[in-house]
Amino acid sequence: MENFESVLASYGISPLPSDTTEAMAYVPFQPYNPSIYSPVQGLEAGTMFPSLDKPFYGSKCGGDKYD
């Protein structure tokens, strides 16, 4: 399978629109990554795809003085 970026480039496609508007949400094309979690891991993480697993730690990451 070809690299996702090289396929986009060969067709002249950008992951985001070339002319964007303020206050509009744009979601770039997501490359297909064949690695997935096991069913149990996916259920615990809330996604089957490791690249989408973004746990929320709240203020634990920022070193907030109220930790």
Side-chain angles (χ1 to χ4, degrees):
M1 180 177 224
E2 286 189 64
N3 186 349
F4 181 73
E5 286 80 19
S6 66
V7 171
L8 288 179
S10 67
Y11 287 100
I13 300 171
S14 171
L16 290 172
S18 60
D19 184 25
T20 59
T21 303
E22 291 82 9
M24 295 293 292
Y26 295 96
V27 179
F29 292 116
Q30 180 181 340
Y32 175 71
N33 187 352
S35 65
I36 60 172
Y37 285 146
S38 70
V40 172
Q41 274 183 303
L43 186 61
E44 289 174 354
T47 180
M48 294 301 291
F49 302 98
S51 62
L52 297 179
D53 186 5
K54 309 289 186 208
F56 178 72
Y57 295 111
S59 63
K60 300 274 184 208
C61 294
D64 193 1
K65 65 181 180 179
Y66 299 111
D67 282 347

Short mmCIF file of all heavy atoms in Angstrom, two decimals:
data_model
loop_
_atom_site.label_atom_id
_atom_site.label_comp_id
_atom_site.label_asym_id
_atom_site.label_seq_id
_atom_site.Cartn_x
_atom_site.Cartn_y
_atom_site.Cartn_z
N MET A 1 0.84 -1.19 0.00
CA MET A 1 0.00 0.00 0.00
C MET A 1 0.88 1.24 0.00
O MET A 1 1.85 1.34 0.74
CB MET A 1 -0.91 -0.02 1.23
CG MET A 1 -1.81 1.17 1.32
SD MET A 1 -2.91 1.06 2.74
CE MET A 1 -4.39 1.57 1.95
N GLU A 2 0.54 2.17 -0.85
CA GLU A 2 1.32 3.39 -0.95
C GLU A 2 1.13 4.27 0.29
O GLU A 2 0.13 4.17 0.99
CB GLU A 2 0.90 4.19 -2.17
CG GLU A 2 1.39 3.61 -3.47
CD GLU A 2 1.12 4.57 -4.61
OE1 GLU A 2 1.69 5.66 -4.62
OE2 GLU A 2 0.33 4.19 -5.49
N ASN A 3 2.11 5.12 0.51
CA ASN A 3 2.04 6.08 1.59
C ASN A 3 0.88 7.04 1.33
O ASN A 3 0.69 7.52 0.22
CB ASN A 3 3.37 6.83 1.67
CG ASN A 3 3.46 7.75 2.83
OD1 ASN A 3 2.47 8.02 3.51
ND2 ASN A 3 4.64 8.25 3.09
N PHE A 4 0.08 7.31 2.35
CA PHE A 4 -1.11 8.15 2.22
C PHE A 4 -0.77 9.52 1.65
O PHE A 4 -1.45 10.02 0.76
CB PHE A 4 -1.78 8.28 3.59
CG PHE A 4 -3.03 9.10 3.59
CD1 PHE A 4 -4.20 8.61 3.04
CD2 PHE A 4 -3.04 10.36 4.16
CE1 PHE A 4 -5.36 9.35 3.05
CE2 PHE A 4 -4.20 11.11 4.17
CZ PHE A 4 -5.35 10.60 3.61
N GLU A 5 0.30 10.15 2.16
CA GLU A 5 0.67 11.48 1.69
C GLU A 5 1.06 11.46 0.22
O GLU A 5 0.75 12.39 -0.53
CB GLU A 5 1.81 12.05 2.54
CG GLU A 5 1.40 12.52 3.91
CD GLU A 5 1.27 11.37 4.90
OE1 GLU A 5 1.84 10.28 4.65
OE2 GLU A 5 0.60 11.55 5.92
N SER A 6 1.74 10.40 -0.24
CA SER A 6 2.15 10.34 -1.64
C SER A 6 0.93 10.16 -2.56
O SER A 6 0.91 10.68 -3.67
CB SER A 6 3.16 9.22 -1.87
OG SER A 6 2.58 7.95 -1.64
N VAL A 7 -0.09 9.44 -2.10
CA VAL A 7 -1.30 9.28 -2.89
C VAL A 7 -2.01 10.63 -3.01
O VAL A 7 -2.45 11.02 -4.10
CB VAL A 7 -2.24 8.22 -2.27
CG1 VAL A 7 -3.58 8.21 -2.96
CG2 VAL A 7 -1.59 6.86 -2.32
N LEU A 8 -2.14 11.35 -1.88
CA LEU A 8 -2.77 12.67 -1.94
C LEU A 8 -2.00 13.60 -2.88
O LEU A 8 -2.59 14.31 -3.69
CB LEU A 8 -2.84 13.30 -0.55
CG LEU A 8 -3.85 12.69 0.43
CD1 LEU A 8 -3.77 13.41 1.77
CD2 LEU A 8 -5.24 12.76 -0.12
N ALA A 9 -0.68 13.58 -2.78
CA ALA A 9 0.13 14.46 -3.61
C ALA A 9 0.02 14.10 -5.09
O ALA A 9 -0.02 14.98 -5.95
CB ALA A 9 1.59 14.40 -3.17
N SER A 10 -0.07 12.81 -5.40
CA SER A 10 -0.15 12.41 -6.80
C SER A 10 -1.45 12.87 -7.45
O SER A 10 -1.50 13.10 -8.66
CB SER A 10 0.00 10.90 -6.94
OG SER A 10 -1.10 10.23 -6.36
N TYR A 11 -2.51 13.03 -6.66
CA TYR A 11 -3.78 13.52 -7.18
C TYR A 11 -3.97 15.01 -6.95
O TYR A 11 -5.00 15.58 -7.30
CB TYR A 11 -4.96 12.77 -6.54
CG TYR A 11 -5.11 11.36 -7.04
CD1 TYR A 11 -4.64 10.29 -6.31
CD2 TYR A 11 -5.72 11.11 -8.27
CE1 TYR A 11 -4.76 8.99 -6.78
CE2 TYR A 11 -5.86 9.82 -8.74
CZ TYR A 11 -5.38 8.76 -7.99
OH TYR A 11 -5.51 7.49 -8.45
N GLY A 12 -3.00 15.66 -6.31
CA GLY A 12 -3.10 17.09 -6.05
C GLY A 12 -4.13 17.42 -4.98
O GLY A 12 -4.74 18.48 -5.02
N ILE A 13 -4.33 16.51 -4.05
CA ILE A 13 -5.33 16.70 -3.00
C ILE A 13 -4.63 17.08 -1.71
O ILE A 13 -3.64 16.48 -1.31
CB ILE A 13 -6.14 15.40 -2.78
CG1 ILE A 13 -6.85 14.99 -4.05
CG2 ILE A 13 -7.13 15.57 -1.64
CD1 ILE A 13 -7.50 13.62 -3.98
N SER A 14 -5.17 18.08 -1.03
CA SER A 14 -4.66 18.49 0.27
C SER A 14 -5.54 17.88 1.36
O SER A 14 -6.74 17.72 1.16
CB SER A 14 -4.70 20.02 0.37
OG SER A 14 -4.41 20.42 1.68
N PRO A 15 -4.96 17.55 2.52
CA PRO A 15 -5.80 17.01 3.60
C PRO A 15 -6.84 18.02 4.11
O PRO A 15 -7.85 17.64 4.65
CB PRO A 15 -4.83 16.66 4.70
CG PRO A 15 -3.48 16.91 4.20
CD PRO A 15 -3.57 17.56 2.86
N LEU A 16 -6.59 19.31 3.93
CA LEU A 16 -7.53 20.36 4.32
C LEU A 16 -7.86 21.22 3.11
O LEU A 16 -7.07 21.30 2.17
CB LEU A 16 -6.92 21.24 5.41
CG LEU A 16 -6.77 20.61 6.79
CD1 LEU A 16 -5.98 21.53 7.70
CD2 LEU A 16 -8.11 20.31 7.39
N PRO A 17 -9.00 21.89 3.11
CA PRO A 17 -9.34 22.77 1.99
C PRO A 17 -8.30 23.89 1.84
O PRO A 17 -7.71 24.34 2.81
CB PRO A 17 -10.69 23.36 2.39
CG PRO A 17 -11.23 22.47 3.44
CD PRO A 17 -10.06 21.85 4.12
N SER A 18 -8.08 24.33 0.61
CA SER A 18 -7.09 25.39 0.38
C SER A 18 -7.60 26.75 0.84
O SER A 18 -6.83 27.62 1.20
CB SER A 18 -6.73 25.45 -1.11
OG SER A 18 -7.90 25.71 -1.86
N ASP A 19 -8.92 26.95 0.84
CA ASP A 19 -9.51 28.21 1.25
C ASP A 19 -10.44 27.95 2.43
O ASP A 19 -11.56 27.49 2.25
CB ASP A 19 -10.28 28.84 0.09
CG ASP A 19 -10.82 30.22 0.44
OD1 ASP A 19 -10.25 30.89 1.32
OD2 ASP A 19 -11.82 30.62 -0.17
N THR A 20 -9.96 28.22 3.62
CA THR A 20 -10.77 27.96 4.82
C THR A 20 -11.43 29.23 5.33
O THR A 20 -10.97 30.34 5.04
CB THR A 20 -9.90 27.37 5.94
OG1 THR A 20 -8.86 28.28 6.26
CG2 THR A 20 -9.30 26.04 5.53
N THR A 21 -12.50 29.06 6.08
CA THR A 21 -13.24 30.17 6.65
C THR A 21 -13.10 30.15 8.16
O THR A 21 -13.08 29.07 8.76
CB THR A 21 -14.74 30.04 6.28
OG1 THR A 21 -14.84 29.98 4.86
CG2 THR A 21 -15.54 31.20 6.80
N GLU A 22 -13.04 31.32 8.77
CA GLU A 22 -12.94 31.40 10.21
C GLU A 22 -14.16 30.77 10.86
O GLU A 22 -15.27 30.83 10.33
CB GLU A 22 -12.80 32.85 10.69
CG GLU A 22 -11.49 33.51 10.31
CD GLU A 22 -11.51 34.03 8.89
OE1 GLU A 22 -12.57 34.05 8.26
OE2 GLU A 22 -10.44 34.41 8.41
N ALA A 23 -13.98 30.20 12.03
CA ALA A 23 -15.03 29.61 12.86
C ALA A 23 -15.71 28.40 12.22
O ALA A 23 -16.81 28.05 12.59
CB ALA A 23 -16.07 30.66 13.26
N MET A 24 -15.06 27.78 11.26
CA MET A 24 -15.58 26.55 10.66
C MET A 24 -14.64 25.41 11.02
O MET A 24 -13.42 25.55 10.95
CB MET A 24 -15.66 26.67 9.13
CG MET A 24 -16.64 27.70 8.64
SD MET A 24 -18.35 27.28 8.99
CE MET A 24 -18.58 25.88 7.95
N ALA A 25 -15.21 24.29 11.40
CA ALA A 25 -14.40 23.12 11.74
C ALA A 25 -14.05 22.34 10.47
O ALA A 25 -14.90 22.11 9.62
CB ALA A 25 -15.17 22.23 12.70
N TYR A 26 -12.80 21.98 10.35
CA TYR A 26 -12.34 21.17 9.23
C TYR A 26 -11.63 19.95 9.79
O TYR A 26 -10.77 20.07 10.66
CB TYR A 26 -11.37 21.95 8.34
CG TYR A 26 -12.04 23.12 7.65
CD1 TYR A 26 -11.96 24.39 8.18
CD2 TYR A 26 -12.76 22.92 6.48
CE1 TYR A 26 -12.58 25.45 7.56
CE2 TYR A 26 -13.39 23.97 5.86
CZ TYR A 26 -13.29 25.24 6.39
OH TYR A 26 -13.91 26.28 5.78
N VAL A 27 -11.98 18.80 9.32
CA VAL A 27 -11.35 17.56 9.75
C VAL A 27 -10.53 17.04 8.58
O VAL A 27 -11.08 16.74 7.52
CB VAL A 27 -12.42 16.52 10.16
CG1 VAL A 27 -11.76 15.22 10.59
CG2 VAL A 27 -13.29 17.08 11.27
N PRO A 28 -9.21 16.92 8.76
CA PRO A 28 -8.39 16.44 7.65
C PRO A 28 -8.67 14.96 7.36
O PRO A 28 -9.17 14.24 8.21
CB PRO A 28 -6.96 16.64 8.16
CG PRO A 28 -7.07 16.64 9.63
CD PRO A 28 -8.43 17.21 9.95
N PHE A 29 -8.32 14.52 6.15
CA PHE A 29 -8.43 13.11 5.82
C PHE A 29 -7.60 12.32 6.81
O PHE A 29 -6.49 12.71 7.15
CB PHE A 29 -7.90 12.83 4.41
CG PHE A 29 -8.74 13.41 3.32
CD1 PHE A 29 -8.24 14.38 2.49
CD2 PHE A 29 -10.04 12.96 3.12
CE1 PHE A 29 -9.01 14.91 1.47
CE2 PHE A 29 -10.82 13.48 2.11
CZ PHE A 29 -10.31 14.46 1.28
N GLN A 30 -8.13 11.23 7.27
CA GLN A 30 -7.40 10.38 8.21
C GLN A 30 -6.79 9.23 7.43
O GLN A 30 -7.50 8.48 6.77
CB GLN A 30 -8.34 9.83 9.28
CG GLN A 30 -7.63 8.95 10.27
CD GLN A 30 -8.60 8.41 11.29
OE1 GLN A 30 -9.68 8.94 11.48
NE2 GLN A 30 -8.22 7.35 11.95
N PRO A 31 -5.46 9.09 7.49
CA PRO A 31 -4.85 7.97 6.78
C PRO A 31 -5.27 6.64 7.40
O PRO A 31 -5.47 6.56 8.61
CB PRO A 31 -3.35 8.21 6.93
CG PRO A 31 -3.22 9.10 8.11
CD PRO A 31 -4.49 9.90 8.19
N TYR A 32 -5.42 5.65 6.57
CA TYR A 32 -5.79 4.33 7.07
C TYR A 32 -4.56 3.70 7.71
O TYR A 32 -3.51 3.59 7.09
CB TYR A 32 -6.30 3.44 5.95
CG TYR A 32 -6.58 2.04 6.41
CD1 TYR A 32 -7.66 1.78 7.23
CD2 TYR A 32 -5.75 1.00 6.05
CE1 TYR A 32 -7.92 0.50 7.68
CE2 TYR A 32 -6.00 -0.28 6.49
CZ TYR A 32 -7.09 -0.54 7.30
OH TYR A 32 -7.33 -1.80 7.74
N ASN A 33 -4.68 3.33 8.95
CA ASN A 33 -3.60 2.66 9.67
C ASN A 33 -4.13 1.30 10.08
O ASN A 33 -5.05 1.21 10.88
CB ASN A 33 -3.20 3.49 10.89
CG ASN A 33 -1.98 2.94 11.58
OD1 ASN A 33 -1.50 1.87 11.25
ND2 ASN A 33 -1.46 3.69 12.53
N PRO A 34 -3.56 0.23 9.54
CA PRO A 34 -4.12 -1.09 9.79
C PRO A 34 -3.99 -1.58 11.24
O PRO A 34 -4.59 -2.58 11.59
CB PRO A 34 -3.36 -1.99 8.83
CG PRO A 34 -2.11 -1.27 8.52
CD PRO A 34 -2.42 0.19 8.64
N SER A 35 -3.21 -0.90 12.08
CA SER A 35 -3.10 -1.37 13.45
C SER A 35 -4.34 -0.94 14.25
O SER A 35 -4.77 0.20 14.19
CB SER A 35 -1.83 -0.83 14.12
OG SER A 35 -1.90 0.56 14.25
N ILE A 36 -4.92 -1.89 14.95
CA ILE A 36 -6.09 -1.62 15.78
C ILE A 36 -5.90 -2.30 17.13
O ILE A 36 -5.08 -3.21 17.27
CB ILE A 36 -7.41 -2.10 15.13
CG1 ILE A 36 -7.38 -3.60 14.87
CG2 ILE A 36 -7.71 -1.33 13.88
CD1 ILE A 36 -8.70 -4.17 14.41
N TYR A 37 -6.65 -1.82 18.11
CA TYR A 37 -6.63 -2.43 19.44
C TYR A 37 -7.40 -3.74 19.44
O TYR A 37 -8.25 -3.97 18.57
CB TYR A 37 -7.28 -1.50 20.45
CG TYR A 37 -6.46 -0.30 20.87
CD1 TYR A 37 -7.09 0.90 21.16
CD2 TYR A 37 -5.09 -0.35 21.01
CE1 TYR A 37 -6.38 2.02 21.56
CE2 TYR A 37 -4.36 0.75 21.42
CZ TYR A 37 -5.01 1.93 21.69
OH TYR A 37 -4.30 3.02 22.09
N SER A 38 -7.15 -4.54 20.45
CA SER A 38 -7.98 -5.72 20.66
C SER A 38 -9.35 -5.24 21.10
O SER A 38 -9.51 -4.08 21.53
CB SER A 38 -7.36 -6.60 21.75
OG SER A 38 -7.47 -5.97 23.01
N PRO A 39 -10.39 -6.08 21.02
CA PRO A 39 -11.72 -5.63 21.44
C PRO A 39 -11.77 -5.08 22.87
O PRO A 39 -12.42 -4.08 23.13
CB PRO A 39 -12.57 -6.88 21.29
CG PRO A 39 -11.90 -7.66 20.20
CD PRO A 39 -10.43 -7.41 20.40
N VAL A 40 -11.05 -5.72 23.78
CA VAL A 40 -11.05 -5.25 25.18
C VAL A 40 -10.36 -3.90 25.30
O VAL A 40 -10.86 -2.98 25.95
CB VAL A 40 -10.38 -6.29 26.11
CG1 VAL A 40 -10.20 -5.74 27.51
CG2 VAL A 40 -11.19 -7.58 26.13
N GLN A 41 -9.19 -3.75 24.65
CA GLN A 41 -8.49 -2.46 24.67
C GLN A 41 -9.34 -1.37 24.03
O GLN A 41 -9.38 -0.25 24.53
CB GLN A 41 -7.17 -2.55 23.90
CG GLN A 41 -5.99 -3.03 24.69
CD GLN A 41 -4.76 -3.00 23.81
OE1 GLN A 41 -4.72 -3.62 22.74
NE2 GLN A 41 -3.76 -2.27 24.25
N GLY A 42 -9.99 -1.69 22.93
CA GLY A 42 -10.83 -0.71 22.25
C GLY A 42 -11.99 -0.25 23.10
O GLY A 42 -12.32 0.93 23.13
N LEU A 43 -12.59 -1.18 23.83
CA LEU A 43 -13.69 -0.82 24.72
C LEU A 43 -13.20 0.08 25.85
O LEU A 43 -13.85 1.07 26.19
CB LEU A 43 -14.34 -2.09 25.28
CG LEU A 43 -15.59 -1.89 26.11
CD1 LEU A 43 -16.69 -1.23 25.29
CD2 LEU A 43 -16.08 -3.22 26.65
N GLU A 44 -12.04 -0.22 26.40
CA GLU A 44 -11.49 0.60 27.49
C GLU A 44 -11.08 1.99 27.00
O GLU A 44 -11.27 2.98 27.69
CB GLU A 44 -10.29 -0.10 28.12
CG GLU A 44 -10.66 -1.33 28.92
CD GLU A 44 -9.44 -2.10 29.42
OE1 GLU A 44 -8.30 -1.76 29.05
OE2 GLU A 44 -9.66 -3.05 30.19
N ALA A 45 -10.51 2.06 25.79
CA ALA A 45 -10.02 3.34 25.26
C ALA A 45 -11.13 4.17 24.62
O ALA A 45 -10.99 5.37 24.44
CB ALA A 45 -8.91 3.09 24.24
N GLY A 46 -12.22 3.51 24.21
CA GLY A 46 -13.30 4.22 23.53
C GLY A 46 -13.07 4.35 22.03
O GLY A 46 -13.81 5.04 21.34
N THR A 47 -12.05 3.69 21.52
CA THR A 47 -11.74 3.68 20.09
C THR A 47 -10.94 2.44 19.77
O THR A 47 -10.22 1.93 20.61
CB THR A 47 -10.97 4.95 19.65
OG1 THR A 47 -10.71 4.87 18.25
CG2 THR A 47 -9.66 5.09 20.39
N MET A 48 -11.05 1.98 18.55
CA MET A 48 -10.27 0.82 18.11
C MET A 48 -8.94 1.25 17.51
O MET A 48 -8.07 0.42 17.26
CB MET A 48 -11.05 0.01 17.08
CG MET A 48 -12.30 -0.64 17.62
SD MET A 48 -11.98 -1.79 18.98
CE MET A 48 -11.14 -3.10 18.14
N PHE A 49 -8.76 2.54 17.26
CA PHE A 49 -7.57 3.03 16.57
C PHE A 49 -6.63 3.73 17.54
O PHE A 49 -6.98 4.75 18.14
CB PHE A 49 -7.98 3.98 15.45
CG PHE A 49 -8.91 3.34 14.46
CD1 PHE A 49 -10.28 3.53 14.55
CD2 PHE A 49 -8.41 2.52 13.46
CE1 PHE A 49 -11.14 2.92 13.65
CE2 PHE A 49 -9.26 1.90 12.56
CZ PHE A 49 -10.63 2.10 12.65
N PRO A 50 -5.40 3.23 17.69
CA PRO A 50 -4.44 3.85 18.61
C PRO A 50 -4.18 5.33 18.32
O PRO A 50 -3.97 6.11 19.24
CB PRO A 50 -3.16 3.02 18.41
CG PRO A 50 -3.64 1.70 17.90
CD PRO A 50 -4.86 2.00 17.08
N SER A 51 -4.22 5.74 17.05
CA SER A 51 -3.95 7.14 16.73
C SER A 51 -5.06 8.07 17.22
O SER A 51 -4.84 9.28 17.35
CB SER A 51 -3.77 7.32 15.22
OG SER A 51 -4.95 6.95 14.54
N LEU A 52 -6.25 7.53 17.51
CA LEU A 52 -7.35 8.35 18.02
C LEU A 52 -7.48 8.28 19.54
O LEU A 52 -8.34 8.94 20.12
CB LEU A 52 -8.68 7.91 17.39
CG LEU A 52 -8.78 8.08 15.89
CD1 LEU A 52 -10.14 7.57 15.41
CD2 LEU A 52 -8.60 9.53 15.49
N ASP A 53 -6.64 7.51 20.18
CA ASP A 53 -6.70 7.35 21.64
C ASP A 53 -6.00 8.54 22.29
O ASP A 53 -4.78 8.60 22.37
CB ASP A 53 -6.02 6.04 22.04
CG ASP A 53 -6.18 5.73 23.51
OD1 ASP A 53 -6.88 6.47 24.22
OD2 ASP A 53 -5.60 4.72 23.96
N LYS A 54 -6.77 9.49 22.73
CA LYS A 54 -6.26 10.72 23.36
C LYS A 54 -6.88 10.86 24.74
O LYS A 54 -7.90 11.52 24.93
CB LYS A 54 -6.61 11.96 22.52
CG LYS A 54 -6.25 11.86 21.07
CD LYS A 54 -4.77 11.91 20.87
CE LYS A 54 -4.48 11.97 19.38
NZ LYS A 54 -3.24 11.41 19.01
N PRO A 55 -6.27 10.21 25.75
CA PRO A 55 -6.85 10.28 27.09
C PRO A 55 -6.85 11.70 27.65
O PRO A 55 -5.97 12.50 27.35
CB PRO A 55 -5.97 9.37 27.93
CG PRO A 55 -4.81 9.01 27.11
CD PRO A 55 -5.06 9.43 25.70
N PHE A 56 -7.86 12.00 28.44
CA PHE A 56 -7.98 13.32 29.07
C PHE A 56 -7.47 13.23 30.50
O PHE A 56 -7.94 12.42 31.29
CB PHE A 56 -9.44 13.76 29.07
CG PHE A 56 -9.65 15.09 29.74
CD1 PHE A 56 -9.23 16.25 29.14
CD2 PHE A 56 -10.26 15.17 30.98
CE1 PHE A 56 -9.41 17.48 29.75
CE2 PHE A 56 -10.44 16.39 31.60
CZ PHE A 56 -10.01 17.54 30.98
N TYR A 57 -6.48 14.04 30.82
CA TYR A 57 -5.89 14.03 32.15
C TYR A 57 -6.28 15.25 32.96
O TYR A 57 -5.84 15.40 34.09
CB TYR A 57 -4.37 13.93 32.06
CG TYR A 57 -3.90 12.63 31.45
CD1 TYR A 57 -3.31 12.60 30.20
CD2 TYR A 57 -4.06 11.43 32.13
CE1 TYR A 57 -2.88 11.42 29.64
CE2 TYR A 57 -3.63 10.24 31.58
CZ TYR A 57 -3.04 10.24 30.34
OH TYR A 57 -2.62 9.07 29.79
N GLY A 58 -7.03 16.15 32.41
CA GLY A 58 -7.43 17.36 33.13
C GLY A 58 -6.24 18.21 33.47
O GLY A 58 -5.34 18.42 32.66
N SER A 59 -6.19 18.68 34.68
CA SER A 59 -5.10 19.58 35.08
C SER A 59 -3.84 18.83 35.47
O SER A 59 -2.84 19.44 35.79
CB SER A 59 -5.56 20.44 36.26
OG SER A 59 -5.86 19.61 37.37
N LYS A 60 -3.85 17.51 35.44
CA LYS A 60 -2.68 16.73 35.80
C LYS A 60 -1.51 17.01 34.86
O LYS A 60 -0.36 16.92 35.25
CB LYS A 60 -2.98 15.23 35.77
CG LYS A 60 -4.06 14.83 36.74
CD LYS A 60 -3.49 14.58 38.09
CE LYS A 60 -4.60 14.08 39.00
NZ LYS A 60 -4.40 14.39 40.35
N CYS A 61 -1.76 17.37 33.61
CA CYS A 61 -0.70 17.64 32.65
C CYS A 61 -0.11 19.04 32.81
O CYS A 61 1.07 19.23 32.56
CB CYS A 61 -1.22 17.51 31.22
SG CYS A 61 -1.68 15.85 30.79
N GLY A 62 -0.92 19.98 33.19
CA GLY A 62 -0.48 21.36 33.20
C GLY A 62 0.21 21.80 34.49
O GLY A 62 0.72 22.90 34.58
N GLY A 63 0.24 20.95 35.51
CA GLY A 63 0.87 21.35 36.75
C GLY A 63 0.10 22.44 37.47
O GLY A 63 0.69 23.34 38.06
N ASP A 64 -1.21 22.39 37.41
CA ASP A 64 -2.06 23.37 38.07
C ASP A 64 -1.77 23.39 39.58
O ASP A 64 -1.53 22.36 40.20
CB ASP A 64 -3.51 23.04 37.81
CG ASP A 64 -4.47 24.17 38.18
OD1 ASP A 64 -4.01 25.24 38.63
OD2 ASP A 64 -5.66 23.96 38.00
N LYS A 65 -1.80 24.55 40.19
CA LYS A 65 -1.49 24.65 41.62
C LYS A 65 -2.54 24.00 42.51
O LYS A 65 -2.33 23.80 43.68
CB LYS A 65 -1.28 26.11 42.01
CG LYS A 65 -2.52 26.96 41.89
CD LYS A 65 -2.22 28.40 42.28
CE LYS A 65 -3.46 29.26 42.17
NZ LYS A 65 -3.18 30.63 42.55
N TYR A 66 -3.72 23.66 41.92
CA TYR A 66 -4.77 23.05 42.73
C TYR A 66 -4.80 21.52 42.62
O TYR A 66 -5.75 20.89 43.00
CB TYR A 66 -6.13 23.60 42.29
CG TYR A 66 -6.22 25.10 42.50
CD1 TYR A 66 -6.26 25.96 41.42
CD2 TYR A 66 -6.25 25.63 43.78
CE1 TYR A 66 -6.33 27.33 41.60
CE2 TYR A 66 -6.31 27.01 43.98
CZ TYR A 66 -6.35 27.85 42.88
OH TYR A 66 -6.40 29.20 43.07
N ASP A 67 -3.73 20.92 42.08
CA ASP A 67 -3.65 19.44 41.97
C ASP A 67 -3.63 18.80 43.34
O ASP A 67 -3.05 19.20 44.26
CB ASP A 67 -2.43 19.01 41.18
CG ASP A 67 -2.64 19.19 39.69
OD1 ASP A 67 -3.79 19.41 39.29
OD2 ASP A 67 -1.65 19.12 38.97
#
